[in-house]
Amino acid sequence: MDLASLTLLVDIIDAGNLSQAARKLKMTRANVSYHLHQLEKSVGVQLVRRTTRRVEPTELGLRLYAHGRSIHNELLAARETITTLGQGLQGRVGLSVPSGYGQMVVSDWLIDFKRLYPGIVLDVRFENRVDDLIRDEVDIAMRVLPEPPDALVARDLGQVRYLACASQGFAQQHGLPTTLEQLRTMPLITSAVVGRQLRLRAYRGGTREEVTLEPTLISEHFPFLHQGILAGLGIGLVPDYVVQDQITTGEVLTMLDDYRLSIFGTRMYLLTMPNRHQTRAVRTCIDFLLGRALPAP
């Protein structure tokens, strides 16, 4: 078994299947499969279990992966040391941020980051997918989740507070609900839901309530939801950062304030892979984002 074979095993397990590994390595799937077979033949045991869609490491495969990942990370660190010697901070950082939080909060942070570190390339994706969060091109993901995935390193960025809110004009014309059930008869504005229905969970004291609603204005583009709320098109069920400025000025009113509302989760997490090498650029970006999300008292 040589270093190239061990690195191949790392790439296969990281990719999750042979086809993805082949694309990353710019090889044919058959070639990747052949080299994996030769590695397994040389050690005399099966290293991964193959299905039609994924590969799962065996116990020995997982142990070899840990050694291979450690060696791979050390090689990357040595290469970075050589290539950046005597230069300013450089490198590439791939980020995946929620569309709404990214558009209305994180985008300003990243502009400031680029001003501080012009040599770092930022590759930013505004997306809400929760499956396969950390892919090869993504070093850092930020997500609102009930609980972070066990397989990832999660840093808690704090609570995300959902509000029921409406414009002054809507309130004057339609009135504001005082119970969760009354939301069923109101036009509702919120982010993308599965199918037509939205399951809104509400907590008050030690009790939990849930109501199923059918929003009338749905979008993942939070600035558009913001416009709809200000235009008086309905009651917004959105995170507080969407309308915070208008609440301060009195242009937007909140309701059901004695409830803690939850749609997709109530906490924001910064997520990274546990075994992937983090360049100086990635570590610097993580520290910067943590500093903005969790400022010192």
Side-chain angles (χ1 to χ4, degrees):
M1 178 176 57
D2 57 19
L3 181 59
S5 299
L6 198 54
T7 301
L8 176 73
L9 178 66
V10 170
D11 288 328
I12 291 172
I13 293 176
D14 278 348
N17 61 60
L18 298 183
S19 298
Q20 289 277 54
R23 278 193 287 272
K24 177 186 176 183
L25 297 170
K26 296 181 172 57
M27 299 167 61
T28 65
R29 187 184 186 281
N31 202 4
V32 171
S33 181
Y34 170 78
H35 284 292
L36 175 59
H37 176 71
Q38 291 300 110
L39 174 60
E40 291 180 322
K41 185 177 178 181
S42 70
V43 297
V45 294
Q46 185 181 13
L47 298 177
V48 298
R49 299 184 187 90
R50 301 162 180 79
T51 67
T52 54
R53 292 189 176 184
R54 294 195 61 79
V55 295
E56 296 289 343
T58 62
E59 182 180 354
L60 182 57
L62 202 56
R63 291 182 183 180
L64 284 179
Y65 169 82
H67 289 296
R69 168 53 67 188
S70 178
I71 293 170
H72 184 62
N73 287 346
E74 289 297 326
L75 288 172
L76 289 174
R79 186 180 304 160
E80 182 185 14
T81 298
I82 293 170
T83 56
T84 61
L85 190 63
Q87 300 178 3
L89 194 56
Q90 296 182 344
R92 176 195 171 279
V93 180
L95 297 106
S96 173
V97 298
S99 58
Y101 190 68
Q103 292 157 5
M104 308 193 79
V105 179
V106 182
S107 58
D108 287 339
W109 300 354
L110 297 179
I111 295 299
D112 290 342
F113 180 84
K114 273 297 292 179
R115 290 193 178 110
L116 284 173
Y117 305 103
I120 293 179
V121 175
L122 287 183
D123 184 355
V124 186
R125 292 163 172 76
F126 293 83
E127 56 187 2
N128 295 317
R129 59 185 291 181
V130 295
D131 59 316
D132 191 21
L133 280 179
I134 307 292
R135 306 176 295 284
D136 280 340
E137 67 273 18
V138 175
D139 301 295
I140 305 166
M142 301 174 75
R143 286 295 183 275
V144 178
L145 297 168
E147 295 288 340
D150 292 335
L152 302 179
V153 176
R155 295 170 174 87
D156 192 340
L157 300 182
Q159 184 175 347
V160 175
R161 181 172 171 242
Y162 278 85
L163 301 174
C165 60
S167 68
Q168 283 273 10
F170 180 91
Q172 292 169 6
Q173 185 174 357
H174 302 281
L176 297 178
T178 57
T179 68
L180 288 173
E181 284 297 320
Q182 288 176 347
L183 289 174
R184 293 180 185 272
T185 62
M186 298 283 188
L188 301 175
I189 300 170
T190 191
S191 53
V193 298
V194 177
R196 296 177 55 190
Q197 294 185 326
L198 167 73
R199 293 172 59 190
L200 177 68
R201 290 172 291 278
Y203 303 85
R204 182 168 59 177
T207 62
R208 175 184 183 273
E209 299 178 48
E210 185 172 300
V211 60
T212 302
L213 307 170
E214 292 193 7
T216 55
L217 183 61
I218 304 167
S219 177
E220 291 188 0
H221 189 65
F222 278 52
F224 176 62
L225 299 181
H226 179 259
Q227 285 183 280
I229 294 168
L230 294 186
L233 301 182
I235 293 174
L237 297 173
V238 293
D240 57 2
Y241 55 78
V242 175
V243 290
Q244 194 61 63
D245 290 345
Q246 287 70 39
I247 291 173
T248 302
T249 62
E251 190 177 357
V252 168
L253 304 175
T254 62
M255 64 214 73
L256 305 174
D257 294 331
D258 51 341
Y259 286 97
R260 180 168 59 88
L261 304 179
S262 173
I263 298 176
F264 303 110
T266 57
R267 302 202 74 80
M268 179 72 69
Y269 294 96
L270 186 148
L271 306 168
T272 56
M273 286 288 286
N275 297 316
R276 184 178 297 173
H277 170 67
Q278 291 179 352
T279 64
R280 285 180 58 212
V282 171
R283 295 195 301 271
T284 300
C285 189
I286 290 173
D287 290 342
F288 182 89
L289 292 173
L290 291 175
R292 283 299 184 93
L294 304 169

